[in-house]
Amino acid sequence: KVINTDTLLHQGKIENIYTVDISANITGTIQSWIINGDIDGEIIGNASIRQSDLSLLNSNLTTSGVIEYLIIFESDFFMKSYAEYYPRFEYFDFPINTNEEWNTSTKAYQNSSFYVEDFYPENTSEGNISMDGYAECTHQETIVVPAGTFSCFHVISENNGSIESWYAP
């Protein structure tokens, strides 16, 4: 949800941005070198998105919940992450067309911490990571959201994980 419009100094340039509030329940599977299992929890935070092309400039997210591993064990987990993207993360390639695929690439400076109760003590990390992948507009569809009914492009991305989005001009 866009909660504000503002300006932000990013890579030496003042950018007009949307401040986006992120809040959602999450379920699924986590697979990492630390632990594998099913998760159930929530994600909250915000992101700064450039108004001109909806590029992601930074994000600040907190994820928490329960992870079930080895079928019978459950532990609380908590993750906090701040990321700044250099260059900005251009998720959309305008103009968007159905059945079109494009490459996505950026580097992110990330400062994060991760904790799994009784399994993995709080660990912090800081550094740069590369994010390379692709996005694809699979089709157009009509969606209904609190703001109304929209004809949208359905975009799926594979970029260090899967992201699914809808864009309405």
Side-chain angles (χ1 to χ4, degrees):
K1 177 180 177 181
V2 174
I3 58 171
N4 193 14
T5 57
D6 205 347
T7 59
L8 175 74
L9 182 62
H10 185 261
Q11 291 183 290
K13 184 177 177 188
I14 295 177
E15 302 282 7
N16 293 316
I17 63 161
Y18 296 114
T19 302
V20 176
D21 182 46
I22 299 168
S23 176
N25 293 322
I26 57 172
T27 58
T29 302
I30 184 170
Q31 294 179 340
S32 75
W33 64 273
I34 299 168
I35 192 169
N36 297 326
D38 295 328
I39 60 171
D40 187 20
E42 68 177 355
I43 185 168
I44 58 171
N46 58 61
S48 298
I49 297 177
R50 192 165 80 160
Q51 291 179 16
S52 63
D53 62 1
L54 303 179
S55 294
L56 182 61
L57 303 179
N58 66 42
S59 59
N60 192 11
L61 302 171
T62 301
T63 308
S64 60
V66 174
I67 183 168
E68 182 182 302
Y69 55 97
L70 299 176
I71 302 173
I72 59 172
F73 297 107
E74 282 188 359
S75 292
D76 292 336
F77 75 91
F78 177 82
M79 185 177 79
K80 186 170 179 95
S81 174
Y82 172 78
E84 192 150 347
Y85 302 91
Y86 296 97
R88 65 194 174 276
F89 179 47
E90 294 183 19
Y91 179 73
F92 298 105
D93 184 24
F94 294 107
I96 296 176
N97 296 302
T98 303
N99 297 320
E100 178 183 38
E101 185 177 301
W102 57 93
N103 291 324
T104 58
S105 177
T106 191
K107 290 189 185 335
Y109 160 76
Q110 189 169 27
N111 185 333
S112 62
S113 63
F114 184 69
Y115 163 81
V116 178
E117 176 187 41
D118 299 327
F119 183 75
Y120 192 76
E122 186 167 357
N123 181 24
T124 59
S125 65
E126 182 176 2
N128 294 308
I129 60 171
S130 290
M131 299 172 57
D132 297 307
Y134 71 91
E136 176 183 12
C137 177
T138 58
H139 61 281
Q140 282 189 277
E141 65 185 80
T142 301
I143 64 168
V144 179
V145 296
T149 301
F150 299 91
S151 176
C152 298
F153 293 102
H154 190 162
V155 177
I156 297 174
S157 173
E158 294 293 329
N159 190 308
N160 293 357
S162 230
I163 301 171
E164 192 171 17
S165 301
W166 291 261
Y167 173 76

